[in-house]
Amino acid sequence: MLNVGMTELLCFAIAALLVLGPEKLPEAARFAAKWYGKAKRFMNSVQTEVDRELKLSEFRQEIQKEIERMTEIEQRLQKQLEHLSKSAPTTKTENTTAYKYQWLTPSPLTPFSINHLKQHGTPLFTAANIPIQPQLKIAV
């Protein structure tokens, strides 16, 4: 911080000893150390605050760049959507896709299937009179 070497400190100590004397030198050293500590803490807090503000500034710039990039992408997508809506035919076509159905028989190992019920029998379903379809109908 002050870039003071060992020889400068020794010169200051000898000058302080000659000026203040041995009685007041410890008190003056404590006073100087106290103020040096306060100044150093103040400088560190200022440096930390400046670093934090710089990082915050950089973060804001990055966010601004991302917002601009997203706005540009949104505008390109809007142009593409307008181009597609202009080039698309205006008449609507009905869905003419026909679904094919295929009848599948359940596996004999499937619990509660027709084959399983025929082999093992369950009084629960026969007592409740629940109609059971012999085959499953699945859209393909």
Side-chain angles (χ1 to χ4, degrees), residues 17-30:
L17 182 62
L18 292 175
V19 171
L20 297 175
E23 298 88 25
K24 293 187 178 182
L25 186 63
E27 185 179 327
R30 278 192 292 270

PDB file of all heavy atoms in Angstrom, residues 17-30:
ATOM      1  N   LEU A  17      11.921   7.517  18.301  1.00  0.00           N
ATOM      2  CA  LEU A  17      12.550   7.328  19.609  1.00  0.00           C
ATOM      3  C   LEU A  17      13.252   8.609  20.057  1.00  0.00           C
ATOM      4  O   LEU A  17      13.161   8.996  21.235  1.00  0.00           O
ATOM      5  CB  LEU A  17      13.542   6.161  19.552  1.00  0.00           C
ATOM      6  CG  LEU A  17      14.264   5.800  20.840  1.00  0.00           C
ATOM      7  CD1 LEU A  17      13.241   5.356  21.895  1.00  0.00           C
ATOM      8  CD2 LEU A  17      15.264   4.707  20.601  1.00  0.00           C
ATOM      9  N   LEU A  18      13.892   9.296  19.151  1.00  0.00           N
ATOM     10  CA  LEU A  18      14.594  10.540  19.500  1.00  0.00           C
ATOM     11  C   LEU A  18      13.608  11.674  19.793  1.00  0.00           C
ATOM     12  O   LEU A  18      13.828  12.475  20.712  1.00  0.00           O
ATOM     13  CB  LEU A  18      15.546  10.950  18.385  1.00  0.00           C
ATOM     14  CG  LEU A  18      16.761  10.042  18.174  1.00  0.00           C
ATOM     15  CD1 LEU A  18      17.551  10.504  16.960  1.00  0.00           C
ATOM     16  CD2 LEU A  18      17.641  10.035  19.416  1.00  0.00           C
ATOM     17  N   VAL A  19      12.513  11.752  19.027  1.00  0.00           N
ATOM     18  CA  VAL A  19      11.558  12.862  19.196  1.00  0.00           C
ATOM     19  C   VAL A  19      10.660  12.633  20.399  1.00  0.00           C
ATOM     20  O   VAL A  19      10.467  13.533  21.232  1.00  0.00           O
ATOM     21  CB  VAL A  19      10.719  13.056  17.916  1.00  0.00           C
ATOM     22  CG1 VAL A  19       9.593  14.038  18.129  1.00  0.00           C
ATOM     23  CG2 VAL A  19      11.595  13.496  16.767  1.00  0.00           C
ATOM     24  N   LEU A  20      10.072  11.439  20.537  1.00  0.00           N
ATOM     25  CA  LEU A  20       9.082  11.184  21.586  1.00  0.00           C
ATOM     26  C   LEU A  20       9.723  10.695  22.889  1.00  0.00           C
ATOM     27  O   LEU A  20       9.158  10.901  23.965  1.00  0.00           O
ATOM     28  CB  LEU A  20       8.047  10.159  21.110  1.00  0.00           C
ATOM     29  CG  LEU A  20       7.190  10.579  19.920  1.00  0.00           C
ATOM     30  CD1 LEU A  20       6.310   9.437  19.469  1.00  0.00           C
ATOM     31  CD2 LEU A  20       6.333  11.785  20.275  1.00  0.00           C
ATOM     32  N   GLY A  21      10.759   9.997  22.793  1.00  0.00           N
ATOM     33  CA  GLY A  21      11.372   9.444  23.994  1.00  0.00           C
ATOM     34  C   GLY A  21      10.818   8.068  24.288  1.00  0.00           C
ATOM     35  O   GLY A  21       9.793   7.642  23.734  1.00  0.00           O
ATOM     36  N   PRO A  22      11.480   7.330  25.191  1.00  0.00           N
ATOM     37  CA  PRO A  22      11.056   5.959  25.467  1.00  0.00           C
ATOM     38  C   PRO A  22       9.733   5.863  26.222  1.00  0.00           C
ATOM     39  O   PRO A  22       9.070   4.834  26.181  1.00  0.00           O
ATOM     40  CB  PRO A  22      12.195   5.387  26.296  1.00  0.00           C
ATOM     41  CG  PRO A  22      12.951   6.535  26.815  1.00  0.00           C
ATOM     42  CD  PRO A  22      12.692   7.684  25.890  1.00  0.00           C
ATOM     43  N   GLU A  23       9.273   6.933  26.916  1.00  0.00           N
ATOM     44  CA  GLU A  23       8.016   6.865  27.676  1.00  0.00           C
ATOM     45  C   GLU A  23       6.784   6.941  26.768  1.00  0.00           C
ATOM     46  O   GLU A  23       5.810   6.216  26.966  1.00  0.00           O
ATOM     47  CB  GLU A  23       7.941   8.002  28.716  1.00  0.00           C
ATOM     48  CG  GLU A  23       9.009   7.991  29.766  1.00  0.00           C
ATOM     49  CD  GLU A  23      10.241   8.766  29.312  1.00  0.00           C
ATOM     50  OE1 GLU A  23      10.107   9.670  28.461  1.00  0.00           O
ATOM     51  OE2 GLU A  23      11.329   8.437  29.777  1.00  0.00           O
ATOM     52  N   LYS A  24       6.804   7.808  25.774  1.00  0.00           N
ATOM     53  CA  LYS A  24       5.631   8.026  24.912  1.00  0.00           C
ATOM     54  C   LYS A  24       5.680   7.219  23.614  1.00  0.00           C
ATOM     55  O   LYS A  24       4.697   7.182  22.880  1.00  0.00           O
ATOM     56  CB  LYS A  24       5.501   9.517  24.577  1.00  0.00           C
ATOM     57  CG  LYS A  24       5.172  10.352  25.773  1.00  0.00           C
ATOM     58  CD  LYS A  24       4.888  11.756  25.357  1.00  0.00           C
ATOM     59  CE  LYS A  24       4.521  12.575  26.583  1.00  0.00           C
ATOM     60  NZ  LYS A  24       4.184  13.933  26.242  1.00  0.00           N
ATOM     61  N   LEU A  25       6.773   6.547  23.330  1.00  0.00           N
ATOM     62  CA  LEU A  25       6.895   5.779  22.081  1.00  0.00           C
ATOM     63  C   LEU A  25       5.893   4.620  21.987  1.00  0.00           C
ATOM     64  O   LEU A  25       5.248   4.476  20.939  1.00  0.00           O
ATOM     65  CB  LEU A  25       8.324   5.266  21.917  1.00  0.00           C
ATOM     66  CG  LEU A  25       8.615   4.568  20.595  1.00  0.00           C
ATOM     67  CD1 LEU A  25       8.438   5.543  19.442  1.00  0.00           C
ATOM     68  CD2 LEU A  25      10.021   3.996  20.587  1.00  0.00           C
ATOM     69  N   PRO A  26       5.661   3.795  23.023  1.00  0.00           N
ATOM     70  CA  PRO A  26       4.663   2.712  22.892  1.00  0.00           C
ATOM     71  C   PRO A  26       3.249   3.239  22.655  1.00  0.00           C
ATOM     72  O   PRO A  26       2.495   2.684  21.851  1.00  0.00           O
ATOM     73  CB  PRO A  26       4.749   1.964  24.228  1.00  0.00           C
ATOM     74  CG  PRO A  26       6.073   2.302  24.788  1.00  0.00           C
ATOM     75  CD  PRO A  26       6.401   3.671  24.276  1.00  0.00           C
ATOM     76  N   GLU A  27       2.891   4.330  23.340  1.00  0.00           N
ATOM     77  CA  GLU A  27       1.555   4.913  23.152  1.00  0.00           C
ATOM     78  C   GLU A  27       1.396   5.447  21.729  1.00  0.00           C
ATOM     79  O   GLU A  27       0.352   5.256  21.083  1.00  0.00           O
ATOM     80  CB  GLU A  27       1.348   6.031  24.163  1.00  0.00           C
ATOM     81  CG  GLU A  27      -0.038   6.630  24.139  1.00  0.00           C
ATOM     82  CD  GLU A  27      -0.194   7.733  25.177  1.00  0.00           C
ATOM     83  OE1 GLU A  27       0.428   7.656  26.248  1.00  0.00           O
ATOM     84  OE2 GLU A  27      -0.949   8.670  24.883  1.00  0.00           O
ATOM     85  N   ALA A  28       2.419   6.091  21.211  1.00  0.00           N
ATOM     86  CA  ALA A  28       2.383   6.625  19.844  1.00  0.00           C
ATOM     87  C   ALA A  28       2.347   5.489  18.828  1.00  0.00           C
ATOM     88  O   ALA A  28       1.647   5.585  17.805  1.00  0.00           O
ATOM     89  CB  ALA A  28       3.595   7.530  19.607  1.00  0.00           C
ATOM     90  N   ALA A  29       3.057   4.411  19.101  1.00  0.00           N
ATOM     91  CA  ALA A  29       3.033   3.256  18.179  1.00  0.00           C
ATOM     92  C   ALA A  29       1.645   2.627  18.131  1.00  0.00           C
ATOM     93  O   ALA A  29       1.151   2.247  17.061  1.00  0.00           O
ATOM     94  CB  ALA A  29       4.086   2.234  18.612  1.00  0.00           C
ATOM     95  N   ARG A  30       0.983   2.493  19.312  1.00  0.00           N
ATOM     96  CA  ARG A  30      -0.391   1.945  19.329  1.00  0.00           C
ATOM     97  C   ARG A  30      -1.343   2.859  18.557  1.00  0.00           C
ATOM     98  O   ARG A  30      -2.188   2.409  17.808  1.00  0.00           O
ATOM     99  CB  ARG A  30      -0.862   1.772  20.771  1.00  0.00           C
ATOM    100  CG  ARG A  30      -0.375   0.509  21.429  1.00  0.00           C
ATOM    101  CD  ARG A  30      -1.127   0.257  22.740  1.00  0.00           C
ATOM    102  NE  ARG A  30      -0.801   1.254  23.749  1.00  0.00           N
ATOM    103  CZ  ARG A  30       0.198   1.149  24.630  1.00  0.00           C
ATOM    104  NH1 ARG A  30       0.972   0.080  24.608  1.00  0.00           N
ATOM    105  NH2 ARG A  30       0.418   2.091  25.516  1.00  0.00           N
TER     106      ARG A  30
END
